[in-house]
Amino acid sequence: MNLTRVPGLLYGGDWNPEQWSEEVWAEDVKLMAEAGVNLVTVGVFSWARLQPDAHSWDFGWLDRLLDLVHAHGIAVDLATATASPPAWLVRAHPELLPVTADGVRLEFGSRQHYCPSSTAYRAAAVRLTRALATRYRDHPALVLWHVHNEYGDHVEECFCPASAEDFRRWLRERHGTVEELNRSWGTAFWSQRYNSFDQVEPPRAAPGPVNPTQVLDWRRFCSDALLALHRAEKAVLDEISPGVPVTTNFMSMFKALDYWEWSRHEDFVSDDAYPDPADPRAHVNAAMNYDLMRSLKAGRPWLLMEQAPSAVSWRPVNVPKRPGLYRLWSLQALARGADGVLHFQWRASVAGAEKFHSAMLPHRGTAGRGWRETVTLGAELRRLGEVAGSRMRGRAAVLLDWDSWWALELEDHPSARMRWLDLLRPWYAALYERGVTVDFLPPGGDLADYPVVLAPNLYLLDTATADRLDAYVRGGGHLVCGPFSGVTDRHDHIHPGGQPGPLRELLGVVVDEPWPIPDGETTALDLDGVGLRAVRWSEWIEADSAAETIVRYTSGPLGNRPAVTRRRHGDGTAWYLSCHLDAADTGRILDLPLVEAGVEAELPGLPEGVEATRRRAADGTAYLFLLNHGTLERHVALDRPGTDLLTGTDLLTGTAAGTGLTLAPLGVAVFRIPPTEERA
Ligand code: GAL
Ligand code: ZN
């Protein structure tokens, strides 16, 4: 089953036709057909065109446009157009403009200029959504609703009086009484006690560090405030246009929004991804983000809603994608569970802030490399159509908790260098290098099916989650827990008795004192004669008799003390890694629990630089994606016979000459393995 009523994989992009005359539209749809485009996202920033002033609507152009694309067999992902409120609305309600923590009201003239808690903005957005839904719910081109655009992009928080009032309402709901808020925020310290909710304000610019729980509650509130806005639009669409799926485009691993919570309100997940062509390791990060997108809906296919065919225009230096990279990175999203590849944007703008951003149809038109690549990719996606609906599943699980992420990065911690993404990346990279695919799980997720669960950091951890981890290990699971975990509870209060708090017994260790490592320095470690180096973070830990020391610190004040421990518990093991290591050293340690748990690579023996993933269809057919991210030609031996869908070639198994396949630099193969062979 596909995400929308469109068969096969989805291909297309944001089409912003309000920039062009209708003659250009006519040319556009012809070229779309030539490129194999089957889905366009229309109207993302069309509010001012749809509603020219407070008293009029103009749908005529959109009627003609939808009829035109439909006549060319192209389906529409219709946007609710609410991300950029028009000037007339802003001037009538200047209070809807967002305010920064310093009290600066952000002006009209860009986009995303709205306060999430503004009633005027919300009413106008809901009204526009209702008008669009009512008019187009039965249009035959409509297959998908695209709510708003990238919630939290540019503006993720607003400190205006309306937001302050909304925050107080949220706090009342969460805490009930002001006494409870005082307790939760620890306001006894620094004389921060409140007598009533009316005295509470958002964490605006203040003389020194703001109360950490206040900031943590603020982060929770900001994610919820934008989600409330999203749900208001979604409710209108569900009511008026039931049966048409609804999505909003996420921004990969984005700190400000708790996507576990958000994705519960999506019919499917879609993502915008802009890996940097100048970064030779960008594909590793991209893989990580795609794994999260797939995991948000427990493995269901997702949609790459936006990517750039070549360069973007918002980095200081915008490097284009060299030949082959666009194709490789597009197919990488499919390899990790996407059912389509869409772009920003269809036709390159000649005016406005993004006129230097690449597009499927570049300024040069159909003459150059860009257009050729657009057409070629469209044709290849058609060849891969049967992949749609199949699912990928990771072999290990990684825990990700937004609450903990927010709390970890609050101010005045032992080290400002402990950032979630910096902690996660070496763990992910180590698994990626080993060809071990992963799914992300929320702390309350179902761990049972994963032989290994990795928690690179769980700074904020409640006892219920700790109990579940304990049960997982007792039942035979292998848990690896990273440093500075089990530190605080949901109020960001320290768990007494020493870190890792509620995990102390399970891990068999207690932290006497965290020992951050100054920038530029390292601490030496020993793993069975192999020297490793910790950076940024180490801990003075004491292991109890149940925990074995696997790695020791060998230099500095922690010399000869335990650094990595393993405790056997029930049928499983619980590992504690007390320091921060680079990807290579993290991998040397992760190898131990991976081997113990019997976790293997998706395709063992892969040459360096080649990524392998497997999607499975309901009938048991497997699709093995092989992607060569390297600069050298690589030969891959195959253990099952099957067909490369891109070339139509039947491939033979074995390692002799003429068997397996050779991947050119940036080359890709998508190998169909019939159910009979796959089960063998
Ligand atoms: C996205 C945004 C698009 C476009 C694109 C450029 O963040 O949703 O509208 O601005 O970036 O890369
Ligand atoms: Zn506001």
Side-chain angles (χ1 to χ4, degrees), residues 45 111 149-150 153 249 272 274 306 314 344 354 357:
F45 292 104
R111 63 172 173 182
N149 191 65
E150 293 190 342
D153 179 33
N249 43 348
D272 296 351
Y274 292 94
E306 285 184 25
W314 40 263
F344 178 85
E354 298 192 296
H357 197 288

Side-chain angles (χ1 to χ4, degrees), residues 50-96:
L50 291 166
Q51 217 183 343
D53 56 53
H55 313 290
S56 46
W57 298 97
D58 181 3
F59 291 118
W61 68 276
L62 190 52
D63 294 352
R64 292 194 294 284
L65 187 94
L66 296 197
D67 292 349
L68 178 70
V69 291
H70 183 61
H72 285 77
I74 298 163
V76 168
D77 165 29
L78 189 55
T80 59
T82 51
S84 199
W88 60 261
L89 180 64
V90 170
R91 296 307 174 221
H93 294 281
E95 79 283 0
L96 70 70

Side-chain angles (χ1 to χ4, degrees), residues 115 158 160 163:
C115 157
C158 172
C160 81
S163 293

Side-chain angles (χ1 to χ4, degrees), residues 204-217:
R204 297 205 181 87
V210 174
N211 181 302
T213 315
Q214 180 181 359
V215 178
L216 178 58
D217 269 355

Side-chain angles (χ1 to χ4, degrees), residues 95-99 105 114-118 157-164:
E95 79 283 0
L96 70 70
L97 290 171
V99 173
R105 200 171 273 282
Y114 62 88
C115 157
S117 300
S118 157
E157 53 187 357
C158 172
F159 295 83
C160 81
S163 293

Side-chain angles (χ1 to χ4, degrees), residues 342-557:
L342 275 63
H343 304 79
F344 178 85
Q345 63 178 331
W346 160 253
R347 180 187 279 268
S349 301
V350 293
E354 298 192 296
K355 59 181 174 295
F356 289 110
H357 197 288
S358 63
M360 297 175 82
L361 178 58
H363 290 141
R364 196 179 159 199
T366 55
R369 175 173 83 91
W371 176 250
R372 277 200 303 281
E373 295 203 350
T374 297
V375 173
T376 307
L377 182 62
E380 292 203 301
L381 294 187
R382 281 198 298 281
R383 261 175 251 147
L384 297 177
E386 64 180 82
V387 169
S390 60
R391 293 182 179 206
M392 176 193 154
R393 211 190 131 77
R395 294 171 173 242
V398 177
L399 297 183
L400 161 58
D401 179 17
W402 262 267
D403 232 22
S404 182
W405 183 354
W406 293 329
L408 172 72
E409 298 185 5
L410 292 167
E411 281 183 281
D412 294 283
H413 277 196
S415 167
R417 303 287 176 262
M418 294 294 271
R419 316 289 294 177
W420 163 250
L421 287 174
D422 294 339
L423 292 173
L424 167 64
R425 279 193 182 118
W427 290 54
Y428 186 87
L431 295 161
Y432 180 93
E433 293 308 333
R434 281 156 180 71
V436 174
T437 51
V438 306
D439 292 336
F440 284 93
L441 285 182
D446 187 2
L447 313 176
D449 291 342
Y450 297 93
V452 167
V453 171
L454 305 158
N457 176 264
L458 283 173
Y459 165 83
L460 182 154
L461 181 71
D462 57 27
T463 46
T465 303
D467 290 347
R468 297 181 56 261
L469 293 174
D470 192 280
Y472 165 74
V473 174
R474 248 186 295 121
H478 300 270
L479 171 74
V480 190
C481 196
F484 205 37
S485 287
V487 183
T488 65
D489 65 11
R490 57 194 283 271
H491 306 285
D492 196 39
H493 294 193
I494 300 284
H495 286 295
Q499 301 154 20
L503 292 175
R504 267 196 315 264
E505 211 189 303
L506 170 60
L507 298 169
V509 297
V510 61
V511 178
D512 185 72
E513 206 173 357
W515 219 279
I517 300 171
D519 293 347
E521 292 182 19
T522 60
T523 299
L525 306 154
D526 174 74
L527 164 66
D528 266 344
V530 180
L532 315 179
R533 281 182 315 159
V535 289
R536 295 192 194 134
W537 187 267
S538 58
E539 288 169 358
W540 179 303
I541 61 172
E542 278 160 27
D544 66 27
S545 55
E548 306 157 63
T549 296
I550 306 294
V551 175
R552 282 184 189 282
Y553 294 105
T554 54
S555 71

